[in-house]
Amino acid sequence: MPSDETPAPQAMDLLRRVPYGRLATSMRALPFLAVARHIVSDGRILLRMHSGFGHHEACDGTVVAYGADNYNASCGEGGDDLWSVQFTGPAEIVHPRPEQEELFGAAPVHVNGEPFAPAYLRVDPHFVTEHTLGFDASQLVRHAA
């Protein structure tokens, strides 16, 4: 449900189920999407992304959008519906505490052939939406040809 208060616990619980999402904002007046690893910590979202493109600097001090989902999961596995969580809020470059850094797990080795260099953002979610797609057990997931 949309909210301009603290994110719903359900949204945070859903985000904890997947490791990656997509960060959206603009850079030099052009929109961009960047893949980011996320963790939930202290009611906020911490993102780890590659610093080599400068996306983290474009986000610092601005309002960004972030979304994650389980759309790559098969419907009906474990009875879970498909879901997505999106939120907007201000972002700030941060240096995670050691215990937070550990939660991110192993980092990629390369990004587009270049060594991965981490940058971290903290996003304070202000407006949160959740969407679910429910399927009947008799429905099959089929890919479009």
Side-chain angles (χ1 to χ4, degrees), residues 105-128:
V109 176
H110 295 99
V111 175
N112 294 347
E114 299 294 323
F116 179 79
Y120 297 90
L121 291 172
R122 180 179 60 224
V123 182
D124 191 9
H126 284 229
F127 184 77
V128 180

Side-chain angles (χ1 to χ4, degrees), residues 47-60:
L47 303 178
R48 179 181 68 193
M49 57 195 306
H50 178 55
S51 65
F53 303 127
H55 295 155
H56 64 294
E57 292 168 343
C59 296
D60 190 33

